[in-house]
Amino acid sequence: MPHFYITTTSKANCSSLWVLCLLLGIWATHTQAKDVLTVPQEVSLSPNMYTQQLSISWLGGAATTFDIMILRTELNQTVFYETVSATVNPISGQHQWNWTSVEPLECTSLSIKICSRDGSKTSKWSNTQILQGSDMPTNEKFQMYPQDRVVPVGTNTTFCCIMEEGELFGSINYGNIIVNTTRLSRRSYATYVFNQGPSRRTGTNVLCFNNPKTKLSGAVIFVGYPPLPSDFVCETRDLISTVCQWSVGRDTYLYGRRRTYYSVNQRSCTEDESQEKLRTCSLANWEGNWTLKAVNPLGQYSLTDSGEIRHRVHPVAPVSLSGVVSAWNATLTWQWKYDSYSSLALVCQVELTSPELKTKQTFTGVGLRSAVLLDLHPDENYGVKIRCGAQQNFWKWGDWSEPFSFKTNIDIPDAPDAWMYTNSDNTGQILWKPLTEKESHGKITGYEVMLWSPEESLLYTKSFPPNTFIMPVNLKEITSLSKDNKVVATVTAKNAAGVSKPTRVVIPPHFEDQNLTVESRVVYVDGGFPLFWQTNTSCGYVVEWHDALCLRDCHVEWIRVASESTNVSLESANLQPGVRYNISLYSCSSELLKRWQGYMQELVPSSSVPQLFVTQEDSDVLLTWGEIPLVSRRGYLLGYNIYINNDSQLTLLANLSGQETRTYKVRGLSGDSYKFTVKAYTSAGEDTGATASLTLEPDTDWLILEILASLGITALFLVIVTFVCYKKRKWVKTAFYPDIPEPKLPGDWSMTQGPLDVKPSPHSMVHIVEKPAWDSSKEVLVVIPEEDEEEDEYGYGDEPVDTDEPTSLRYYNQMVDERPIRPRFPDSSDSSASSLDSAQTDVTYTGIQTSGSSLVFQLDQQGSSEGHRPQASLLNSFGGEGGGYRPQMQPRGPSDNPHPAPPQSFSEPQAACTGGYKPQSSWHLDSPGEAEERGGLAPSLGSPTSIASTQFLLPDGESEDRAEEKHQLSSSAATWFTNLLSSTKP
């Protein structure tokens, strides 16, 4: 800070003031300079067209932040406008900032200007700098950018097309795809491609067309990956030099001059256009440490490796293989390419290949050059190849040698496997299996079968060609050749090397009935039949099996089992599902020890039950069917299922377990049509089923039988009832129709019973009404005379009858009870005599002396004689003309009555009576009025009643006629039943 000194002189004062003013002006100018930002100066542009990067530098004073604006010059479109921090070069003081353009810098001209910024304060813009594009008017060519660009996969790239001056823009194609475009200037157009995939070997073409497509311009872009090798390792093959190897990794999709370049320890190892995934590079000496570097336009990658030479030995392949071959072994020899292997401990692997197998054997030794192969098969083709490695510090197996082939020599065949099968007719077959290539040891020329006796004497010999494996035999003929009926057969095979060892088979003297042996079922599990037995033998066993349906000369298979074994799993590729097999266990002497039966796999029966018949038995239905043949069962039959078939569904009726039951009765069916389905089933399921239908017929036999039985029972019941009634007729009569008891009255009634003479009143005379003629069809009153026995008993038969008096009426004293009346009406005059003796109903008249009483007169003798039949008395009642009481009429012949009544004359005409009891058609109780009209006569004593009843016998009113008809019908039935009971005496 300047110091000021003031003097007393005026000159000095003027000078000091001037200095102060000057200092103040300088200070103000300095302060104002600090407040104003510096405008960037000397702006320069440095473009990188390949990377599309623009480097901008300027002098900007003390400012640290700047505003940068970039515009497309021609259209004045802002491309970039942001505040940035620029780095300052401390030596030159220049600020620098780099900007990467989305579009190639050649596409159009760009204008750049910069201003300084301090917070919210900015300086003025710098002078505009223009980066000239390729679309300047001076450059009239048709152009496309970028050209031959290499980019990584997934990159976004902008392409621009600059049209030729005067041409119209058409389109831009990326490959075969037309893409969208954006206009950048008068002649420039741009397109944006995102996330680009790997390009083809020659790159991806981007083409620009004018409109119309008469001209084009284009560019090529290569899209790929940077290098990424792996598995870099170095080793030695000759114990001197180095061979390095690596994997190129993923494909970079860059080729030609853009491919990846490799180097090991700065020695180039690039192969021209190699497509191998594994690359190698050889170095003359062993260095111990190695570095691999891979470089392409998109980047580079490095790998390193190190190791000792004895730990990295990789032998080369043996050469010049040869061999010495016999029937059962071979000796191989080979050579090495490098002499340095003579002192190297090696381990070699020999791979032996035959038509049926491939094996590997290992051999060791220093500088190994030979190996012996054992356990080969005669007449067999083999191929071998060899590789080796370091026995100590083993690194890896060397390369395989070229294959070497050889064939072993022939040898005598193995003994054939022979067996004996017998039929039920004592014939059989000697069988032997054909020898395989390994067993024949050469081409078989034939077989020979010899028969021997137990004394080892040859009985018979026969040779067979190589394609024959059966010899038919007759057991009786063969055993007859030996004294003790024992014969042994031997089978041998022959080839060019000689004859095989013989196989012995004991021939049994006769057929052994295998059906007598108990069979047990065996189940196929885990690929075979598990068989177990408890017997022992010293020479082994033979297990034989064949189709159970075969009965003669069967296709037999067998296996041999060691003597110490008591079980075996029978496995064969020839076993078929649904086939039953007989499996037999034999001793070495052909003795049958045990038998089994089994299925490899049970199936449903192949056919339904045969001969299904349906028979009706009354209301039941009997189903019967036949047995399914064994060939169609294809499994063990477990039973049958019986169904009713409704066409749409099957309804189970019964399940019959076991295959022996082949009948079933369906009971209680009604008349209708039925379908029945029978299905046999195994463990695998049911067969398709057999169906039979039946329409039930009505059971006429039972109906007739029931009718006959009912009639018989009814007849028997009637006979029994009739018999009982006959035997018990007295009881029946007493119970249902008892005799009328004699009346028992109080007082002295010891006097002889006789008729009571009832004197009628003086006015009881019957008035005779004269009629001009008598109608015989009208009913008249008839006097019923007493029986002859009664007349004789009481002595009334000879008494004269007073014609002036009314006929006497018999009156019996009686006790009236409550029992119902039982009237009796005889059917005819012939049966009246017998019926009246046993059951007679007498009528007592208690109202005789009234004026309304009926008067009874005897019939006119003349009328009786004229009509030749008895006639009843005429009754004249005061109540009216046709009415009055009509007592029972009992016609008689002239001989029936020894005392006929004297004839009388009547004023009323007489009528002939047809017989039977006819009650009075009407009966009226005398009322007091009637008594007065009749002159004060005494009233009636009442109506007539029966001894056995308290009811009035004579109905009243208008229903008399109807009651009479009903009474006659019931009286007839009662009379018939009474006559039935009383017609026979016990």
Side-chain angles (χ1 to χ4, degrees):
M1 186 72 182
H3 300 277
F4 299 95
Y5 299 95
I6 301 175
T7 61
T8 58
T9 64
S10 60
K11 186 177 181 178
N13 292 338
C14 292
S15 299
S16 299
L17 182 60
W18 182 84
V19 172
L20 179 62
C21 291
L22 179 62
L23 292 175
L24 289 174
I26 294 172
W27 178 80
T29 303
H30 178 73
T31 303
Q32 184 179 5
K34 283 187 176 181
D35 293 338
V36 177
L37 295 177
T38 303
V39 177
Q41 301 294 326
E42 299 181 12
V43 177
S44 62
L45 304 177
S46 177
N48 187 337
M49 298 300 181
Y50 186 83
T51 61
Q52 300 179 186
Q53 191 175 68
L54 178 63
S55 178
I56 306 172
S57 61
W58 65 94
L59 293 175
T64 57
T65 59
F66 301 89
D67 289 348
I68 299 178
M69 180 184 294
I70 302 176
L71 301 93
R72 294 190 183 102
T73 304
E74 192 168 332
L75 298 181
N76 199 28
Q77 294 175 342
T78 301
V79 178
F80 181 83
Y81 183 18
E82 288 184 8
T83 300
V84 300
S85 296
T87 60
V88 179
N89 189 334
I91 299 175
S92 61
Q94 280 189 336
H95 295 78
Q96 186 176 359
W97 181 76
N98 295 327
W99 173 67
T100 301
S101 174
V102 175
E103 299 93 5
L105 298 177
E106 298 93 340
C107 292
T108 186
S109 299
L110 298 176
S111 298
I112 299 96
K113 54 184 179 179
I114 307 170
C115 68
S116 300
R117 175 176 289 275
D118 184 9
S120 59
K121 295 181 180 181
T122 60
S123 68
K124 293 181 179 180
W125 289 101
S126 66
N127 295 328
T128 299
Q129 297 294 319
I130 296 177
L131 178 65
Q132 297 292 335
S134 298
D135 61 344
M136 294 296 292
T138 55
N139 189 355
E140 298 178 355
K141 295 180 180 180
F142 202 169
Q143 306 168 63
M144 188 77 184
Y145 297 99
Q147 288 288 330
D148 300 332
R149 184 71 55 86
V150 179
V151 297
V153 173
T155 301
N156 303 329
T157 304
T158 301
F159 299 89
C160 68
C161 173
I162 302 175
M163 298 302 298
E164 184 177 348
E165 191 71 44
E167 295 290 338
L168 296 178
F169 174 75
S171 63
I172 297 177
N173 289 15
Y174 183 87
N176 297 325
I177 301 173
I178 299 176
V179 294
N180 297 325
T181 57
T182 302
R183 191 168 190 174
L184 303 181
S185 68
R186 182 175 59 87
R187 294 168 56 197
S188 297
Y189 296 85
T191 185
Y192 305 93
V193 180
F194 302 95
N195 193 21
Q196 298 173 91
S199 61
R200 297 179 299 174
R201 186 178 185 85
T202 57
T204 301
N205 294 325
V206 184
L207 303 177
C208 180
F209 296 90
N210 67 342
N211 188 12
K213 293 184 178 181
T214 57
K215 295 182 179 181
L216 65 86
S217 178
V220 178
I221 187 168
F222 299 91
V223 185
Y225 294 98
L228 188 64
S230 61
D231 303 329
F232 176 65
V233 62
C234 295
E235 59 192 14
T236 182
R237 309 298 300 269
D238 56 1
L239 299 179
I240 299 173
S241 63
T242 303
V243 177
C244 294
Q245 179 177 285
W246 65 90
S247 173
V248 298
R250 67 187 178 190
D251 191 356
T252 62
Y253 295 96
L254 301 177
Y255 308 96
R257 59 187 179 87
R258 300 170 188 84
R259 69 181 183 274
T260 302
Y261 292 87
Y262 298 95
S263 62
V264 176
N265 289 355
Q266 298 181 355
R267 296 181 181 91
S268 177
C269 297
T270 301
E271 299 178 6
D272 294 339
E273 300 298 328
S274 176
Q275 299 298 319
E276 297 294 332
K277 292 296 182 181
L278 290 177
R279 302 290 181 87
T280 59
C281 184
S282 298
L283 303 178
N285 297 312
W286 186 266
E287 298 182 5
N289 294 296
W290 305 271
T291 299
L292 172 68
K293 182 178 290 186
V295 179
N296 73 3
L298 297 178
Q300 65 178 15
Y301 196 85
S302 297
L303 294 173
T304 60
D305 185 33
S306 62
E308 296 182 9
I309 188 170
R310 286 285 178 173
H311 295 174
R312 298 289 184 91
V313 177
H314 183 194
V316 295
V319 295
S320 303
L321 270 68
S322 62
V324 178
V325 182
S326 64
W328 297 95
N329 53 60
T331 301
L332 297 178
T333 58
W334 60 91
Q335 301 296 326
W336 291 109
K337 180 179 180 180
Y338 302 109
D339 294 337
S340 57
Y341 282 19
S342 300
S343 60
L344 181 63
L346 296 172
V347 52
C348 294
Q349 191 176 66
V350 178
E351 183 180 84
L352 180 65
T353 303
S354 68
E356 296 181 358
L357 57 86
K358 179 185 292 187
T359 60
K360 291 181 179 180
Q361 301 180 35
T362 302
F363 303 89
T364 58
V366 177
L368 189 63
R369 298 174 184 270
S370 65
V372 178
L373 304 178
L374 304 176
D375 299 326
L376 304 179
H377 294 281
D379 197 37
E380 187 82 16
N381 292 315
Y382 291 95
V384 294
K385 56 183 181 179
I386 306 170
R387 65 179 181 180
C388 298
Q391 185 177 2
Q392 299 176 356
N393 302 314
F394 182 84
W395 168 244
K396 61 174 65 173
W397 286 110
D399 300 331
W400 284 107
S401 67
E402 293 295 327
F404 173 71
S405 300
F406 63 91
K407 184 176 183 178
T408 55
N409 300 330
I410 63 173
D411 197 3
I412 60 174
D414 290 342
D417 188 359
W419 182 238
M420 176 74 186
Y421 177 78
T422 58
N423 298 315
S424 59
D425 57 353
N426 286 324
T427 61
Q429 297 173 329
I430 297 177
L431 310 170
W432 58 91
K433 295 179 181 179
L435 297 177
T436 64
E437 292 184 1
K438 287 187 177 181
E439 295 170 339
S440 61
H441 303 163
K443 185 178 181 180
I444 298 296
T445 59
Y447 297 94
E448 187 175 63
V449 179
M450 293 179 287
L451 302 180
W452 301 79
S453 67
E455 296 82 13
E456 298 295 332
S457 59
L458 181 62
L459 303 177
Y460 181 80
T461 301
K462 187 173 182 179
S463 298
F464 295 91
N467 57 351
T468 302
F469 312 102
I470 298 175
M471 174 182 172
V473 294
N474 189 305
L475 300 182
K476 289 184 178 180
E477 294 180 0
I478 291 177
T479 54
S480 63
L481 300 176
S482 176
K483 296 180 180 179
D484 54 359
N485 295 332
K486 292 184 179 180
V487 176
V488 177
T490 60
V491 181
T492 57
K494 297 182 293 182
N495 65 5
V499 180
S500 69
K501 295 180 180 180
T503 299
R504 296 169 57 89
V505 179
V506 178
I507 300 177
H510 57 81
F511 170 74
E512 184 175 0
D513 190 359
Q514 299 180 355
N515 294 326
L516 300 178
T517 307
V518 177
E519 299 177 358
S520 59
R521 294 183 180 181
V522 60
V523 180
Y524 188 88
V525 292
D526 297 331
F529 290 106
L531 307 178
F532 301 90
W533 60 88
Q534 301 295 330
T535 58
N536 294 321
T537 183
S538 59
C539 56
Y541 304 93
V542 174
V543 178
E544 169 198 285
W545 68 93
H546 61 83
D547 190 344
L549 298 178
C550 180
L551 301 178
R552 180 181 176 85
D553 295 339
C554 302
H555 175 70
V556 179
E557 296 184 72
W558 69 91
I559 58 172
R560 295 189 178 273
V561 183
S563 59
E564 62 272 11
S565 298
T566 57
N567 63 85
V568 69
S569 178
L570 177 58
E571 301 176 0
S572 174
N574 298 327
L575 296 176
Q576 299 295 324
V579 178
R580 181 183 294 186
Y581 291 96
N582 284 341
I583 305 172
S584 305
L585 176 68
Y586 292 91
S587 66
C588 58
S589 59
S590 302
E591 178 186 0
L592 178 63
L593 303 178
K594 192 172 182 179
R595 289 195 67 205
W596 298 269
Q597 275 194 348
Y599 288 88
M600 172 191 172
Q601 179 184 354
E602 291 192 55
L603 304 176
V604 298
S606 60
S607 64
S608 56
V609 294
Q611 303 174 358
L612 177 61
F613 297 106
V614 182
T615 307
Q616 179 179 352
E617 296 182 355
D618 302 331
S619 61
D620 301 337
V621 172
L622 179 64
L623 303 176
T624 60
W625 58 89
E627 185 178 8
I628 297 179
L630 184 62
V631 66
S632 301
R633 295 181 187 177
R634 305 201 300 177
Y636 295 111
L637 288 184
L638 302 180
Y640 302 90
N641 287 330
I642 317 298
Y643 298 92
I644 283 185
N645 190 338
N646 297 328
D647 293 334
S648 60
Q649 64 178 3
L650 297 178
T651 302
L652 181 64
L653 288 178
N655 171 259
L656 305 181
S657 299
Q659 60 177 337
E660 301 301 328
T661 304
R662 294 192 296 276
T663 61
Y664 181 73
K665 181 175 287 188
V666 184
R667 301 182 182 275
L669 297 177
S670 59
D672 201 352
S673 295
Y674 294 91
K675 282 185 179 180
F676 299 94
T677 299
V678 179
K679 293 186 177 183
Y681 64 92
T682 65
S683 62
E686 297 178 331
D687 63 14
T688 56
T691 301
S693 59
L694 175 69
T695 300
L696 293 180
E697 299 294 338
D699 193 4
T700 56
D701 296 340
W702 273 105
L703 181 60
I704 295 173
L705 184 61
E706 289 175 359
I707 294 174
L708 294 177
S710 300
L711 293 176
I713 293 173
T714 303
L716 180 63
F717 177 74
L718 293 176
V719 170
I720 293 174
V721 169
T722 305
F723 179 77
V724 171
C725 291
Y726 174 77
K727 289 295 185 180
K728 300 295 183 179
R729 58 185 175 275
K730 288 185 177 181
W731 176 83
V732 172
K733 180 179 181 182
T734 303
F736 295 99
Y737 206 89
D739 292 335
I740 299 174
E742 295 291 335
K744 295 181 181 181
L745 301 176
D748 187 9
W749 290 80
S750 62
M751 59 180 296
T752 303
Q753 186 177 7
L756 177 63
D757 294 333
V758 179
K759 299 296 185 178
S761 64
H763 303 288
S764 298
M765 301 302 293
V766 176
H767 298 275
I768 303 300
V769 180
E770 293 184 1
K771 299 263 183 181
W774 173 66
D775 189 358
S776 62
S777 64
K778 294 184 179 180
E779 297 180 354
V780 295
L781 293 176
V782 182
V783 176
I784 301 176
E786 301 293 334
E787 298 292 338
D788 296 340
E789 295 83 1
E790 294 178 353
E791 293 176 356
D792 295 339
E793 180 180 356
Y794 296 103
Y796 296 109
D798 297 333
E799 293 182 0
V801 177
D802 187 4
T803 60
D804 295 333
E805 297 292 332
T807 304
S808 299
L809 300 178
R810 294 184 180 182
Y811 175 78
Y812 296 90
N813 294 329
Q814 62 176 340
M815 295 296 292
V816 180
D817 58 15
E818 296 298 325
R819 287 180 299 174
I821 194 167
R822 292 182 177 87
R824 181 171 176 270
F825 302 95
D827 293 341
S828 64
S829 60
D830 297 335
S831 62
S832 62
S834 62
S835 63
L836 289 174
D837 293 339
S838 61
Q840 180 178 355
T841 302
D842 294 329
V843 180
T844 303
Y845 301 91
T846 58
I848 301 300
Q849 307 215 3
T850 63
S851 62
S853 302
S854 300
L855 299 180
V856 181
F857 298 93
Q858 292 184 351
L859 297 175
D860 187 354
Q861 183 69 30
Q862 183 178 357
S864 177
S865 62
E866 290 176 357
H868 301 287
R869 55 190 175 186
Q871 298 181 359
S873 304
L874 296 176
L875 179 69
N876 187 12
S877 176
F878 296 103
E881 292 183 357
Y885 175 71
R886 295 180 176 84
Q888 177 178 340
M889 296 177 62
Q890 187 169 359
R892 298 183 182 180
S895 62
D896 292 340
N897 188 1
H899 305 286
Q904 298 288 338
S905 61
F906 300 93
S907 61
E908 295 291 330
Q910 298 179 357
C913 182
T914 60
Y917 176 76
K918 296 183 180 180
Q920 180 175 337
S921 61
S922 63
W923 185 271
H924 301 276
L925 293 177
D926 296 332
S927 63
E930 293 175 344
E932 294 177 358
E933 293 175 358
R934 295 167 184 172
L937 296 177
S940 172
L941 296 177
S943 63
T945 60
S946 172
I947 295 175
S949 176
T950 61
Q951 306 296 327
F952 293 113
L953 295 177
L954 304 178
D956 297 334
E958 298 177 356
S959 64
E960 180 180 0
D961 295 336
R962 292 191 301 271
E964 182 177 355
E965 294 176 1
K966 296 180 180 179
H967 190 66
Q968 289 178 359
L969 294 175
S970 61
S971 298
S972 299
T975 302
W976 176 85
F977 185 68
T978 303
N979 293 337
L980 175 65
L981 298 177
S982 53
S983 62
T984 305
K985 300 297 182 180

